[in-house]
Amino acid sequence: MERPDKKNIVIFASGSGSNAQRLLEHFEHHPQIRVAALFSNNPKAYALKRAETYHVPALLFSRDEFYNSGKVLEQVKAFNPDLIVLAGFLWLVPQNLLHAFPNKIINIHPALLPKYGGKGMHGINVHTAVVQAGEEQSGISIHYVNEEYDKGEFILQEYCPVHPEDTPEELAARVLQLEHRHLPLVVEQLLLEKDEL
């Protein structure tokens, strides 16, 4: 039986949801933390199917519901989240969510911020930009979410090399390994640290 005092994670995802999958796997049998729900703005997002596989509620919403009503906020509140994780979620988080959950919304970005962030910098676009710029390293940035894309305070940055012969796809695969390794651990640490404060 579920312990009623478990910490709740709510995931937002727009696409395939491989980071959502890692969170679902990591916390499936965790004694203190569970994934309570997954929200998506994309009816074709494979992340929705991943959530259903783990018997986690999967909720779909429209742009209008997200930005012009309180519907999504009320739905999120119903799951009493201790942390909201943006795992490949492409829309800017509206003020009502930011105000309702201060310092409780985090994002994972597949590059080293502050470079290679902002609107349009997601997926293969990021890795193409890094490779074309001739960078020697890339990595991931896990950060708190604020009113601007990719501008919140850093929680963790991890690095990997960019080889001269790398294609954007090869770099993407290397960065994704970092994402999958570190995101569940950072989420776990943030939630369990709050208990110790």
Side-chain angles (χ1 to χ4, degrees):
M1 196 161 138
E2 289 282 335
R3 279 176 47 185
D5 57 343
K6 277 194 178 188
K7 303 276 189 186
N8 291 319
I9 302 164
V10 167
I11 300 171
F12 276 72
S14 294
S16 163
S18 71
N19 275 311
Q21 173 83 24
R22 283 292 298 119
L23 293 171
L24 289 160
E25 287 169 3
H26 189 83
F27 295 109
E28 185 180 17
H29 301 296
H30 197 284
Q32 294 159 281
I33 300 167
R34 69 170 156 239
V35 177
L38 182 142
F39 284 72
S40 184
N41 58 325
N42 177 5
K44 296 180 179 171
Y46 192 65
L48 292 164
K49 295 243 185 319
R50 295 182 193 268
E52 287 164 9
T53 301
Y54 284 83
H55 308 290
V56 167
L59 294 89
L60 187 63
F61 58 88
S62 68
R63 181 174 285 276
D64 188 57
E65 287 168 339
F66 198 49
Y67 290 112
N68 300 324
S69 80
K71 180 178 178 182
V72 176
L73 174 60
E74 291 312 310
Q75 288 178 324
V76 171
K77 279 182 173 175
F79 293 102
N80 193 25
D82 296 281
L83 195 68
I84 296 171
V85 182
L86 309 186
F89 182 67
L90 303 184
W91 289 358
L92 197 63
V93 175
Q95 292 283 352
N96 64 349
L97 272 168
L98 291 172
H99 289 312
F101 302 105
N103 296 317
K104 285 187 175 181
I105 308 177
I106 68 168
N107 180 50
I108 183 160
H109 185 75
L112 298 174
L113 296 172
K115 281 183 166 183
Y116 308 109
K119 191 168 173 59
M121 275 291 162
H122 55 79
I124 205 67
N125 298 353
V126 178
H127 307 298
T128 300
V130 170
V131 168
Q132 287 179 348
E135 298 285 358
E136 293 183 356
Q137 61 180 11
S138 188
I140 60 168
S141 304
I142 300 175
H143 63 92
Y144 288 105
V145 172
N146 63 13
E147 294 87 352
E148 296 181 78
Y149 281 112
D150 304 326
K151 295 282 181 142
E153 177 191 346
F154 292 145
I155 300 164
L156 175 82
Q157 289 191 300
E158 288 288 335
Y159 302 84
C160 66
V162 181
H163 303 309
E165 67 281 6
D166 270 344
T167 64
E169 290 76 15
E170 287 167 336
L171 177 58
R174 198 173 303 125
V175 170
L176 192 63
Q177 288 180 334
L178 287 180
E179 294 181 56
H180 288 175
R181 186 180 317 141
H182 291 285
L183 182 61
L185 300 178
V186 167
V187 168
E188 187 171 34
Q189 187 177 6
L190 286 173
L191 287 170
L192 298 183
E193 268 178 4
K194 289 182 195 301
D195 270 352
E196 293 163 11
L197 295 176

